[in-house]
Amino acid sequence: MTKPTVAIVTDSTAYLPKALVAEFGIHVLANVVNWGDKAYRDGVDIGAVEFFERLKVDPVHPTTSVASLGEMREVYATAAASAEAVLGIHLSAKLSNTFKVAQEAAALLPDKKITVLDSQTTSMAMGFIILAAARAAAAGQPAEQVRQAAQAAIPRVGVVLTLETLKYLQRGGRIGAAQAFVGGVLDLKPLLEVRDGMIHPLERVRSRKKAMGRLVDIVCERLAGKTSVRLAALHAAAEPEARELLEAAQARLGSAVVETVFTDVSPTVATHTGPGTIGLAYGDGF
């Protein structure tokens, strides 16, 4: 049997639905949630449901870390054994050392054809980049064209979020430019986006309901007139609201929407955003 041309590697912050991971044979590196004296592999030892149930009652707050170089090398070696070439796509290097460790792991496999990309984002915004590459690979395209498919998708994706509170971003040191929102009126709800690899503030509004409305407005304004629109709703223990967001955006964009995805926020991301986080990721033109 002929080997596939390109294997795709990513990390668990995308939290791609398992059906898509299986369909395209994507190799997923589990990032790590450290809780008390134990380390849990994101999506393997701990999933979103267990994570949020524990977060409600455990006075100890979790932290996150990158998988070890040895674990990263093992994932890349497995992927390289399954295909002629490997393309790794990881969350923003400005938010995590995952990309750096992936580069180091690739360097430990000099006889393998491995390329590692910084997605400059995370969650399902990164997920859509991964899927663009995976679909190109599934179509039998050569390694360079698969890389180009991923690279071309990077500037065409985005993710807009609203959080219940900024305290988790503050605590984890990932708040970036959103620090400007800290210290304002307490009941204002922040709207944030990941742009150029970092978290940036967009707006603050008076209520959760208004935040949801503005989130849909912002995404639909950005996608107005676009074709081949992809939408993903993501949530941290807030499924009904996330479904409402997805339905509202899909209704507004109509036939332009060619794909929708619904997923949890991964535990490693949710450690920094907190419960109640909801958002829309999107991509267009690929």
Side-chain angles (χ1 to χ4, degrees), residues 172-268:
R174 302 301 202 282
I175 196 164
Q179 181 70 39
F181 279 176
V182 175
V185 180
L186 294 178
D187 62 350
L188 291 180
K189 299 302 179 187
L191 287 163
L192 310 171
E193 68 172 334
V194 180
R195 187 176 74 251
D196 300 324
M198 296 184 67
I199 297 168
H200 291 271
L202 287 173
E203 300 176 9
R204 286 182 294 184
V205 295
R206 279 280 176 187
S207 68
R208 176 79 160 183
K209 185 174 182 180
K210 287 182 178 178
M212 291 173 62
R214 279 300 297 145
L215 198 160
V216 173
D217 286 344
I218 290 167
V219 170
C220 290
E221 286 162 11
R222 291 180 179 182
L223 295 171
K226 304 290 187 181
T227 58
S228 299
V229 168
R230 303 179 191 279
L231 289 174
L234 45 111
H235 72 95
E239 181 176 340
E241 290 171 306
R243 291 201 180 277
E244 186 179 332
L245 284 182
L246 185 59
E247 289 168 6
Q250 192 171 6
R252 291 259 298 265
L253 294 166
S255 61
V257 180
V258 298
E259 181 177 26
T260 61
V261 176
F262 191 84
T263 187
D264 297 291
V265 174
S266 77
T268 45

Side-chain angles (χ1 to χ4, degrees), residues 158-183:
V159 57
V160 180
L161 307 163
T162 184
L163 279 57
E164 282 283 12
T165 173
L166 290 169
K167 72 178 182 180
Y168 294 95
L169 276 180
Q170 253 189 314
R171 183 183 289 164
R174 302 301 202 282
I175 196 164
Q179 181 70 39
F181 279 176
V182 175

Side-chain angles (χ1 to χ4, degrees), residues 13-240:
T13 62
Y15 234 62
L16 282 161
K18 290 180 180 179
L20 289 172
V21 171
E23 179 181 352
F24 293 105
I26 298 166
H27 300 258
V28 180
L29 175 87
N31 292 82
V32 179
V33 176
N34 302 297
W35 216 329
D37 59 355
K38 292 186 177 180
Y40 301 89
R41 292 170 296 168
D42 185 358
V44 179
D45 303 319
I46 190 166
V49 173
E50 307 98 294
F51 176 83
F52 289 112
E53 285 301 315
R54 179 169 173 181
L55 195 63
K56 289 177 187 176
V57 298
D58 196 327
V60 176
H61 189 75
T63 60
T64 61
S65 60
V66 179
S68 70
L69 179 58
E71 290 170 313
M72 186 80 79
R73 182 191 180 282
E74 183 178 346
V75 170
Y76 270 91
T78 300
S82 71
E84 296 174 12
V86 178
L87 177 64
I89 303 169
H90 294 285
L91 81 156
S92 168
K94 294 177 182 177
L95 295 174
S96 167
N97 284 328
T98 303
F99 173 70
K100 178 176 179 289
V101 177
Q103 288 182 308
E104 292 170 354
L108 294 175
L109 299 163
D111 58 328
K112 306 298 183 183
K113 188 176 179 181
I114 299 173
T115 302
V116 184
L117 291 183
D118 178 355
S119 73
Q120 301 174 41
T121 188
T122 188
S123 75
M124 268 305 300
M126 181 169 78
F128 285 134
I129 298 167
I130 295 160
L131 290 174
R135 287 173 173 135
Q141 294 183 17
E144 178 55 20
Q145 286 183 276
V146 173
R147 184 200 66 78
Q148 288 176 10
Q151 197 76 56
I154 290 173
R156 305 190 74 89
V157 302
V159 57
V160 180
L161 307 163
T162 184
L163 279 57
E164 282 283 12
T165 173
L166 290 169
K167 72 178 182 180
Y168 294 95
L169 276 180
Q170 253 189 314
R171 183 183 289 164
R174 302 301 202 282
I175 196 164
Q179 181 70 39
F181 279 176
V182 175
V185 180
L186 294 178
D187 62 350
L188 291 180
K189 299 302 179 187
L191 287 163
L192 310 171
E193 68 172 334
V194 180
R195 187 176 74 251
D196 300 324
M198 296 184 67
I199 297 168
H200 291 271
L202 287 173
E203 300 176 9
R204 286 182 294 184
V205 295
R206 279 280 176 187
S207 68
R208 176 79 160 183
K209 185 174 182 180
K210 287 182 178 178
M212 291 173 62
R214 279 300 297 145
L215 198 160
V216 173
D217 286 344
I218 290 167
V219 170
C220 290
E221 286 162 11
R222 291 180 179 182
L223 295 171
K226 304 290 187 181
T227 58
S228 299
V229 168
R230 303 179 191 279
L231 289 174
L234 45 111
H235 72 95
E239 181 176 340

